[in-house]
Amino acid sequence: MINHLSSQKNWQSQLSDTINRVDELLTVLELPELLKSSYSPKQNNFPLRVPKAFVNKMKKGDPNDPLLLQVLPDKRALQPVTGYVTDPLAENEHNPVQGLIHKYQSRVLITVTGACAIHCRYCFRQHFDYQGNTPKRQQQQQVLNYIKNQTDVNEVILSGGDPLSLSNQRLFSWLNDLADLPQITTIRIHTRFSVVIPERLDEELLAFFTNMNTNQVRLVMVIHCNHPNEIDDNTARHLTKLQRTGVTLLNQAVLLKGVNDDIDTQVALSQRLFQAGVLPYYLFVLDKVAGASYFDLDEQIAIDLYWQMMERLAGYLVPKLAREIANQPFKTPINVYHAIR
Ligand code: SF4
């Protein structure tokens, strides 16, 4: 009990130990010159937010650090670019109940919270109306009732925001209620916490997962890791402990210009993930969200990179290269074979 309380304090205090001022971040990283190309998005709904635990994985004095580029507000985001919109996946059109998105036949997604440990500048939900679309405790039953009536749905995805921002008590309430629905066989959690503040995978959470996986519901966790530098030894240790609970561990990454668009980085990412017990699942090209166009790259570059990945990696270490297209009934694989070499 004492251990559990202390580890919980540990992740929660790390969560509060967060930088949300651009000048402070750049001072810590000894990069004052970057103040010119960045901006302080204090007035919008997507301010800078990065825990020091994640900043510690960045290299001081490196303006191109791949972890820094994922969080640093860049002035290029302020220029409107044709085709980049606030709801690139048309999620508003698939929102039958507050806090629930139903786009695909066999699965639904619940935005259980709008809170995240970190704000990623490429996030496709950076303009999402979390205020009006996060189920409060009293709306949980409404969400459950909706799912109960969808006989084709056998999987529920907890998303957000980041579901691991919730307290264990609140998270367990969702997991227990969902596991009680007769047709649900899989619950999937999408989170960035395991690479941002790995201590979030505390003993109480791991014990709950172990117990849950012995029942008929299988748990899947998709960690959102874009670069091998995000998995230091401490992170790898926590992921390995998580894997021992029986949770299926997968990764999805976004292909980001300047961050992970080179072959050595992608190879190292897949290898590092595997060493930590995580299988590469998806590599997505960027969703065309307003404010993130500067991360985008030509599809042909993605295809060329993918061929190199297939040459360098065993098949099980090559994630699926895909794009999410609004209103399509599945994630659309990118046809890597049409342009041949
Ligand atoms: S939802 Fe995920 S990608 Fe978006 S800001 Fe939060 S942690 Fe980052």
Side-chain angles (χ1 to χ4, degrees):
M1 189 63 171
I2 290 166
N3 278 347
H4 138 58
L5 284 176
S6 64
S7 69
Q8 207 173 47
K9 184 162 174 262
N10 191 283
W11 76 260
Q12 282 165 340
S13 61
Q14 290 198 53
L15 188 57
S16 7
D17 196 9
T18 284
I19 295 182
N20 44 33
R21 277 195 8 242
V22 172
D23 57 344
E24 184 187 350
L25 176 63
L26 295 179
T27 303
V28 167
L29 292 173
E30 299 168 6
L31 288 166
E33 73 275 15
L34 285 192
L35 271 172
K36 279 190 226 119
S37 53
S38 21
Y39 70 105
S40 297
K42 272 193 199 146
Q43 306 310 324
N44 67 15
N45 293 325
F46 201 54
L48 170 74
R49 178 179 176 86
V50 55
K52 289 201 182 133
F54 195 75
V55 176
N56 290 340
K57 295 177 184 176
M58 299 174 187
K59 194 169 154 210
K60 283 189 178 171
D62 182 359
N64 297 315
D65 182 276
L67 277 52
L68 170 65
L69 296 180
Q70 293 180 55
V71 299
L72 184 67
D74 187 299
K75 276 189 183 150
R76 287 173 291 175
L78 302 174
Q79 300 300 324
V81 178
T82 310
Y84 292 78
V85 297
T86 53
D87 183 16
L89 307 183
E91 293 191 313
N92 287 335
E93 296 169 29
H94 303 273
N95 191 199
V97 183
Q98 175 157 342
L100 182 137
I101 296 170
H102 191 176
K103 287 192 287 195
Y104 303 133
Q105 192 173 43
S106 64
R107 50 226 183 263
V108 292
L109 180 148
I110 310 174
T111 47
V112 287
T113 172
C116 294
I118 189 166
H119 285 171
C120 317
R121 307 320 299 177
Y122 55 85
C123 179
F124 74 89
R125 288 209 185 107
Q126 58 184 278
H127 307 282
F128 192 81
D129 173 22
Y130 286 112
Q131 288 283 20
N133 215 349
T134 304
K136 315 274 177 308
R137 198 178 284 270
Q138 58 275 24
Q139 284 144 345
Q140 187 160 326
Q141 195 54 47
Q142 224 177 322
V143 169
L144 296 166
N145 289 344
Y146 176 86
I147 300 171
K148 212 184 290 176
N149 291 325
Q150 308 302 312
T151 47
D152 283 343
V153 169
N154 59 24
E155 178 170 7
V156 178
I157 298 160
L158 296 188
S159 182
D162 194 317
L164 293 193
S165 301
L166 297 178
S167 65
N168 279 347
Q169 191 195 28
R170 190 76 191 99
L171 183 67
F172 298 164
S173 158
W174 273 113
L175 292 172
N176 281 329
D177 283 356
L178 290 166
D180 281 347
L181 298 178
Q183 86 272 32
I184 299 305
T185 56
T186 310
I187 302 175
R188 196 191 326 162
I189 299 173
H190 279 247
T191 182
R192 205 148 149 64
F193 253 97
S194 48
V195 290
V196 176
I197 302 178
E199 285 71 15
R200 175 64 188 92
L201 305 169
D202 63 19
E203 296 302 326
E204 188 182 45
L205 189 69
L206 298 186
F208 187 90
F209 285 170
T210 304
N211 188 41
M212 202 163 184
N213 263 313
T214 60
N215 299 326
Q216 61 191 31
V217 173
R218 301 294 304 172
L219 271 179
V220 178
M221 187 177 280
V222 181
I223 70 163
H224 289 223
C225 177
N226 297 313
H227 194 281
N229 292 2
E230 292 172 42
I231 309 179
D232 61 9
D233 290 347
N234 178 48
T235 304
R237 251 193 322 274
H238 280 88
L239 287 169
T240 306
K241 275 169 79 179
L242 174 61
Q243 190 204 26
R244 291 201 191 109
T245 67
V247 170
T248 300
L249 274 177
L250 304 172
N251 183 54
Q252 72 177 48
V254 184
L255 187 57
L256 300 166
K257 191 180 192 169
V259 172
N260 58 8
D261 56 339
D262 66 280
I263 181 61
D264 288 340
T265 298
Q266 286 297 333
V267 168
L269 175 59
S270 280
Q271 290 173 338
R272 192 82 182 117
L273 286 166
F274 188 64
Q275 282 163 355
V278 185
L279 275 177
Y281 171 40
Y282 271 122
L283 177 60
F284 284 112
V285 297
L286 187 84
D287 296 317
K288 293 189 180 301
V289 63
S293 64
Y294 64 95
F295 285 117
D296 211 354
L297 36 74
D298 191 85
E299 189 171 288
Q300 190 56 50
I301 295 175
I303 293 172
D304 287 346
L305 179 63
Y306 200 71
W307 275 86
Q308 294 176 61
M309 289 168 70
M310 290 193 288
E311 280 171 14
R312 294 261 305 262
L313 290 162
Y316 59 89
L317 292 183
V318 182
K320 297 185 226 183
L321 182 65
R323 175 188 295 287
E324 184 154 0
I325 300 176
N327 301 315
Q328 287 299 300
F330 45 76
K331 309 275 193 271
T332 306
I334 289 184
N335 184 359
V336 297
Y337 301 106
H338 80 270
I340 298 297
R341 330 188 105 214

